[in-house]
Amino acid sequence: MKRILVIGAGYGGMRAVKKLAGADLDAEIVLVNKNPYHYQTTQLHEVAAGTKEPSDITFDITQAFANKKNVHVIIDEVTKVDQDAKQVELKNSDPIGYDYLVNSLGFESETFGIPGVEENGWPIVDINTALAARKHLEDTLKRYKTSHDENDLHIVVCGAGFTSIEYLGELVHRMPKMAKEYGFPENLVKVECVEAGPKILGMFNQDLAGWAVKYLEKKGVIFHVSTPITEVMPNAVVSNGTQFPANTIIWTTGVHGSHVIADSGYDQKRNRVVVADDLRVNGRPDQFLIGDVSGVNNPGNGRLFPTTAQISIAQADCAANNIVALLKGQPTEKFVFKALGTVCSLGPTAGVASIDFFGHWNLKGWLAAIAKKFVADRAVFELTNIRTMLESD
Ligand SMILES: Cc1cc2nc3c(=O)[nH]c(=O)nc-3n(C[C@H](O)[C@H](O)[C@H](O)COP(=O)(O)OP(=O)(O)OC[C@H]3O[C@@H](n4cnc5c(N)ncnc54)[C@H](O)[C@@H]3O)c2cc1C
């Protein structure tokens, strides 16, 4: 019996297994993931800001496939893909071979080699890092009552992309409650966002991005654009000699693919591999790379598509279809992607959205917040609700 090995149970991996398990194949499907749960990455910023609990955004992997007899789940960490031996090396158990591999190991925080980031910045890339960032934030804010160190009430968020802005939205929403609960004066809180580029939320048009900035500024956030970070100290972010003092520094400047990609000898850039039209690795007809470890050319502009949950899920469908085709001796299909848009929340009651679904819609304020909830509930983009995602075809 052939073995299809899927590594990484993020949006891409879960969706690929779901599709393959429904295809009635005479093949064993093995899913390897380092945690027993799937987490909804698109909501990690809420756990980090303390507006959601991990249990709100996690889902037991084994349970998800309990009624699929040909699916086996292994909880272990992948350390390397031995491409020539066609096997995957694991941290705590023997290597496991494959006939077809779907590599969906996802992303890790990018430090850009900036001194002090690893030691002093709090990334938001998985449940553990989100919880660690939240604990540090809460402990530091609580400490003010005895320390009277204003730096304990200063927070710097590094980067002004999606994750940073969504985190800021949740943070300023929760701040008044925390001030009451932890007994610190809210007027001494200082929240700053430091961004190297000239734009905030570069993926939105000027109108939507400007609206998001104004909304957060009204809630007290101070933005610094064109301010490249050159060092992160234990209690300050530094940009070419200018210091932004804070005892909580959130590091959300960007991501790269899993380090396993570089460790496994792929031809990669920032741990992303540009894949062929059918999502296979060039020269490796038995391997598919999907999600944040892959790069897919956008024929519309000649650049790579941005890595999103939305594209991971679409890639998973295509990779699964192609494995089914290969098992049946049929030709593979090309991956075609049409982005359905982007929704950025600014806390639970506001947001901005640019949606291409039955026309083009630019939404801001509560309408965008509703759109975000709609996305989460119905999974229009099939990206935020794993239960819906697993049930939908
Ligand atoms: C806070 C935040 C908000 C976001 N919001 C949005 C949004 O609104 N819309 C959108 O489209 N995108 C959003 N994104 C981006 C999106 O989450 C990613 O593009 C998407 O999660 C990538 O999916 P993936 O399946 O490639 O990998 P991941 O979701 O990263 O999943 C990888 C899986 O592999 C596991 N894993 C990793 N390494 C190993 C290993 N060595 N061994 C075993 N298992 C391993 C991980 O535990 C995880 O389960 C957001 C990202 C963040 C951080």
Side-chain angles (χ1 to χ4, degrees), residues 15-31:
R15 179 71 180 188
V17 172
K18 186 254 173 182
K19 270 276 182 190
L20 289 163
D24 195 23
L25 297 170
D26 184 23
E28 178 193 27
I29 302 155
V30 179
L31 172 62

Side-chain angles (χ1 to χ4, degrees), residues 8 10-12 33-34 41-42 78 105-107 162 291-292 308-309 312 383:
Y11 290 102
N33 194 60
K34 65 178 165 192
T41 317
T42 55
V78 173
L105 286 177
F107 65 90
F162 215 85
D292 282 22
T308 61
S312 298
L383 52 69

Side-chain angles (χ1 to χ4, degrees), residues 98-382:
Y98 60 81
D99 295 289
Y100 291 103
L101 178 70
V102 179
N103 187 332
S104 50
L105 286 177
F107 65 90
E108 296 169 357
S109 178
E110 173 67 91
T111 67
F112 300 102
I114 297 169
V117 171
E118 270 179 37
E119 299 84 349
N120 306 313
W122 296 91
I124 306 175
V125 287
D126 55 25
I127 291 287
N128 291 340
T129 52
L131 276 178
R134 171 181 174 169
K135 183 172 179 339
H136 177 83
L137 170 77
E138 291 173 351
D139 289 350
T140 310
L141 293 174
K142 278 178 199 163
R143 193 171 60 200
Y144 176 81
K145 219 174 159 181
T146 46
S147 72
H148 298 290
D149 175 358
E150 286 192 16
N151 238 9
D152 281 345
L153 301 183
H154 291 187
I155 298 151
V156 172
V157 175
C158 305
F162 215 85
T163 305
S164 304
I165 299 299
E166 290 206 314
Y167 174 79
L168 283 164
E170 297 297 321
L171 179 70
V172 295
H173 172 77
R174 191 181 171 215
M175 197 56 84
K177 262 194 189 162
M178 286 196 285
K180 263 194 200 147
E181 198 181 333
Y182 305 153
F184 60 81
E186 211 189 325
N187 62 320
L188 291 185
V189 171
K190 190 171 183 185
V191 180
E192 293 179 277
C193 176
V194 180
E195 162 62 40
K199 279 186 184 165
I200 310 283
L201 279 184
M203 68 293 282
F204 287 106
N205 69 26
Q206 199 56 46
D207 180 42
L208 291 177
W211 194 91
V213 169
K214 277 210 183 93
Y215 180 88
L216 290 173
E217 280 178 341
K218 268 194 215 145
K219 304 250 174 195
V221 179
I222 302 163
F223 287 97
H224 305 276
V225 290
S226 304
T227 308
I229 295 167
T230 48
E231 187 182 350
V232 177
M233 303 200 316
N235 44 21
V237 167
V238 185
S239 174
N240 295 319
T242 306
Q243 288 199 6
F244 300 92
N247 282 346
T248 298
I249 296 163
I250 303 294
W251 187 257
T252 41
T253 56
V255 295
H256 57 63
S258 163
H259 68 280
V260 172
I261 295 296
D263 294 350
S264 305
Y266 288 93
D267 181 13
Q268 50 80 31
K269 202 171 169 192
R270 293 177 68 199
N271 293 339
R272 286 176 82 192
V273 180
V274 177
V275 288
D277 284 354
D278 64 359
L279 304 181
R280 280 192 279 185
V281 179
N282 288 310
R284 302 280 178 186
D286 45 15
Q287 277 194 57
F288 291 82
L289 250 74
I290 63 172
D292 282 22
V293 289
S294 70
V296 179
N297 276 313
N298 178 351
N301 60 16
R303 296 206 295 263
L304 296 182
F305 281 111
T307 51
T308 61
Q310 201 183 137
I311 196 169
S312 298
I313 292 166
Q315 286 178 287
D317 285 350
C318 177
N321 288 343
N322 283 342
I323 289 174
V324 173
L326 289 169
L327 285 170
K328 291 181 177 165
Q330 293 167 356
T332 56
E333 66 183 44
K334 279 187 184 174
F335 177 66
V336 181
F337 181 62
K338 172 140 176 29
L340 293 174
T342 311
V343 188
C344 176
S345 65
L346 301 166
T349 53
V352 285
S354 172
I355 302 175
D356 291 296
F357 191 68
F358 293 114
H360 181 76
W361 306 87
N362 283 339
L363 307 175
K364 37 197 172 193
W366 60 271
L367 271 176
I370 290 174
K372 184 85 186 182
K373 284 199 180 80
F374 181 61
V375 168
D377 291 346
R378 171 60 192 88
V380 175
F381 306 151
E382 295 196 337

Side-chain angles (χ1 to χ4, degrees), residues 17-95:
V17 172
K18 186 254 173 182
K19 270 276 182 190
L20 289 163
D24 195 23
L25 297 170
D26 184 23
E28 178 193 27
I29 302 155
V30 179
L31 172 62
V32 180
N33 194 60
K34 65 178 165 192
N35 304 304
Y37 54 82
H38 163 93
Y39 47 87
Q40 292 178 247
T41 317
T42 55
Q43 289 176 276
L44 279 175
H45 58 283
E46 294 171 71
V47 172
T51 50
K52 278 222 165 98
E53 296 302 324
S55 57
D56 296 327
I57 70 158
T58 51
F59 191 88
D60 186 290
I61 295 167
T62 311
Q63 230 179 36
F65 299 113
N67 61 351
K68 302 287 180 193
K69 283 208 174 67
N70 58 343
V71 176
H72 304 286
V73 176
I74 296 176
I75 306 303
D76 207 333
E77 189 175 325
V78 173
T79 51
K80 192 180 163 188
V81 178
D82 185 337
Q83 302 189 70
D84 293 330
K86 290 182 63 164
Q87 64 179 20
V88 163
E89 295 175 10
L90 304 174
K91 194 173 175 187
N92 301 312
S93 31
D94 290 338

